[in-house]
Amino acid sequence: MLEYKAIEIFTSEEVRWQGKPLSEAIIQFVSGLKIAARCMVTRGTDGCYESGEIATRKLEVLSYNMPVRIHVILPAGELERVLPDIDKMVTDGIVVVHHLDVVSHKIRTRLIPQQVKVRDVMTANPRTVTPSTPLDEVVRLLLSSIFTGLPVVDQANRPVGVISQGNLIYRAGMPLRLCLLAESDQNRLEEFLSSISSKTAAEIMTSPAVCIEEDRQLTEAVNLMLQKGLKRLPVVDAGGKLVGILSRMDLFRTIMKESPDWQTFRNLNIQIENLHSVSDIMRRDIHTVTPDTAIDEVIRIIDSNDIQRVAVVDEKGRYLGLISDEDLLMAFSDQRAGLWDYVVSKMSFTEAGRKHKEFLDHMRAKTASEVMSTRHITVREDAPIEEAIRIMTENNLKRLPVLDSQGFYKGMVSRESLLRTGFTQCKI
């Protein structure tokens, strides 16, 4: 749910603000804010006031000073900034504030309404570390979280850097991705954590941190993430202090809640500028295996192409399933020590093989069909982009296999391709 607030004002036609009817003045004020707010004015046909005065239109000639109700609906984060000014304008009337759980906020021509601000969709009060935090504490924190990156802040809570999973892998020598590390042999995990305990966050973080202010438009944040190739942005207040974090998933969830009414557009045969189907943004993947492919070959393909997963297809190219590095770890759960060494050795078939001949023999005896996941979450290549976004958001997927109408595997769509192609080609 999106958290919104409703400001409700009960006043009358006679009330003025700086010479204008109050309703007109408030509409002009809200319009000038350029935020994701809507305003509506209704006039009553009957009513009464505190003085006992009764307003009625039963006799049209005598009707005057009719009751007026003004509704302003806006994101909850804007209330503190907007309410004092509106309260000041209401010199005669009652001001009420309601909390609203908004299911969706849609406009008809943009992927994201221009008025949506970063603070409306960011994750507030994120976990942080300091430059002096030992790396083993950083990893422990990430292993217990659903996110894979952390802002690094100084004593005044100002971001000074960011630590990502990539930093840990390439600068700290973390041998496995975090989700795999969490499933690894506990002794090996503790051994790795001990090996990095003398290092600090400052030694591996990306610095300076690229940040965005909370009151900037969300579209500006998207452009910044695309330009810099970032997966997340620390969000700061006017004083430069950290107040939130904005991730790709925050963006995709926003698109699902605030995107145009796609079905209505299709029914009316309305074309949206430069909106493409999945086939326009997917990576046409040439890396596939068959059910009979040996697991050591699967691992070699995944590692040498840095793709983390590979599709399994039949001899004609029809999609059968997917193998990820997580599937591999689960398949060899009874021999994790061997797999750990195998992966740590950068997929070498030499040293690791000599040390762990039993494991390698066991691995080579397995085939792709024994390891692959047949949980078929896929998307058609002719599906609209928002369909891919919906599937990936609902299932928390980083990549999604793309099939044609006959079930043949065509490629993979990723969060990166969605963000880059979807946003740069579509009107935002």
Side-chain angles (χ1 to χ4, degrees):
M1 292 287 184
L2 298 169
E3 290 191 4
Y4 274 51
K5 296 288 185 181
I7 302 173
E8 197 173 11
I9 303 157
F10 296 88
T11 183
S12 70
E13 290 178 320
E14 282 189 349
V15 179
R16 297 287 191 273
W17 171 251
Q18 295 181 343
K20 291 182 179 178
L22 179 61
S23 59
E24 290 184 23
I26 288 183
I27 289 174
Q28 185 175 1
F29 169 70
V30 173
S31 159
L33 291 173
K34 304 295 184 186
I35 60 174
R38 292 200 176 195
C39 185
M40 183 180 71
V41 176
T42 55
R43 285 177 172 77
T45 57
D46 299 88
C48 67
Y49 301 104
E50 296 90 333
S51 64
E53 176 187 2
I54 295 177
T56 176
R57 279 187 173 157
K58 291 180 180 176
L59 296 174
E60 292 295 332
V61 176
L62 298 178
S63 67
Y64 74 102
N65 195 26
M66 303 306 294
V68 171
R69 185 165 67 173
I70 307 169
H71 271 100
V72 179
I73 299 177
L74 72 172
E78 300 285 358
L79 181 69
E80 189 175 341
R81 184 163 68 101
V82 174
L83 185 59
D85 287 326
I86 286 184
D87 187 42
K88 182 180 177 183
M89 296 167 74
V90 181
T91 58
D92 183 351
I94 299 172
V95 179
V96 180
V97 174
H98 300 288
H99 177 79
L100 299 176
D101 287 329
V102 173
V103 174
S104 66
H105 178 171
K106 301 178 180 179
I107 61 173
R108 294 191 299 171
T109 57
R110 296 176 184 278
L111 279 176
I112 295 178
Q114 279 190 317
Q115 296 90 340
V116 175
K117 301 292 181 63
V118 170
R119 63 167 162 266
D120 299 333
V121 300
M122 70 181 187
T123 298
N125 304 313
R127 304 291 296 271
T128 62
V129 296
T130 69
S132 61
T133 302
L135 273 190
D136 61 325
E137 291 185 24
V138 174
V139 175
R140 290 181 197 279
L141 179 57
L142 289 172
L143 287 175
S144 63
S145 308
I146 60 172
F147 40 84
T148 58
L150 283 168
V152 184
V153 298
D154 63 14
Q155 291 182 337
N157 202 34
R158 291 187 296 260
V160 295
V162 172
I163 289 183
S164 67
Q165 180 169 249
N167 293 132
L168 290 166
I169 292 174
Y170 296 111
R171 298 182 183 179
M174 189 170 73
L176 299 171
R177 292 193 293 121
L178 287 163
C179 64
L180 301 180
L181 202 62
E183 299 294 331
S184 298
D185 177 83
Q186 191 63 31
N187 292 332
R188 296 303 182 102
L189 172 59
E190 292 299 331
E191 184 181 328
F192 166 67
L193 293 174
S194 176
S195 71
I196 61 173
S197 61
S198 61
K199 294 184 178 179
T200 64
E203 295 179 60
I204 69 159
M205 68 181 184
T206 298
S207 181
V210 178
C211 303
I212 185 96
E213 293 185 354
E214 60 179 338
D215 61 351
R216 303 294 287 272
Q217 291 181 348
L218 187 58
T219 51
E220 294 182 59
V222 173
N223 288 332
L224 185 59
M225 292 172 78
L226 291 173
Q227 290 169 5
K228 302 291 184 181
L230 301 173
K231 295 180 179 177
R232 60 188 66 81
L233 284 175
V235 182
V236 296
D237 63 15
K241 293 186 178 181
L242 183 77
V243 293
I245 195 88
L246 182 70
S247 70
R248 289 176 178 174
M249 280 306 290
D250 293 324
L251 293 172
F252 294 144
R253 291 192 183 103
T254 301
I255 293 171
M256 294 309 300
K257 291 176 180 174
E258 307 205 27
S259 62
D261 186 346
W262 309 101
Q263 188 59 48
T264 299
F265 273 35
R266 278 191 288 274
N267 293 341
L268 297 177
N269 197 29
I270 296 175
Q271 299 298 317
I272 304 175
E273 183 179 2
N274 294 327
L275 186 63
H276 299 293
S277 63
V278 169
S279 63
D280 295 315
I281 65 171
M282 71 181 189
R283 185 182 69 184
R284 296 187 183 280
D285 214 329
I286 61 173
H287 304 295
T288 59
V289 298
T290 67
D292 298 328
T293 303
I295 291 302
D296 58 349
E297 175 64 8
V298 173
I299 293 178
R300 190 195 65 77
I301 292 174
I302 289 178
D303 177 65
S304 60
N305 296 285
D306 194 24
I307 52 178
Q308 294 181 0
R309 67 211 68 206
V310 62
V312 184
V313 300
D314 65 15
E315 67 279 3
K316 294 182 178 179
R318 190 175 285 105
Y319 178 79
L320 298 175
L322 202 66
I323 299 177
S324 69
D325 44 12
E326 292 175 82
D327 295 323
L328 291 169
L329 191 66
M330 293 302 294
F332 293 95
S333 58
D334 58 337
Q335 298 192 30
R336 287 184 180 176
L339 183 61
W340 173 284
D341 282 343
Y342 188 72
V343 176
V344 170
S345 68
K346 308 297 182 184
M347 305 296 176
S348 166
F349 286 86
T350 56
E351 183 179 359
R354 288 193 293 273
K355 287 182 177 179
H356 303 280
K357 184 176 183 304
E358 182 181 350
F359 167 72
L360 289 175
D361 290 342
H362 182 68
M363 182 178 65
R364 285 167 179 153
K366 280 185 175 289
T367 62
S369 62
E370 300 174 75
V371 175
M372 69 179 183
S373 167
T374 55
R375 182 175 174 233
H376 295 301
I377 301 178
T378 61
V379 67
R380 284 265 299 266
E381 61 177 344
D382 56 353
I385 292 174
E386 74 272 16
E387 177 67 8
I389 294 175
R390 182 188 65 77
I391 295 172
M392 294 177 73
T393 303
E394 290 180 355
N395 295 281
N396 195 27
L397 300 175
K398 292 183 177 179
R399 291 173 180 80
L400 183 64
V402 181
L403 312 183
D404 68 9
S405 60
Q406 304 300 312
F408 289 95
Y409 178 71
K410 293 298 179 181
M412 201 82 75
V413 62
S414 67
R415 289 181 184 176
E416 171 70 20
S417 60
L418 282 174
L419 196 64
R420 183 164 296 284
T421 308
F423 280 84
T424 55
Q425 295 297 318
C426 295
K427 197 174 185 179
I428 60 176

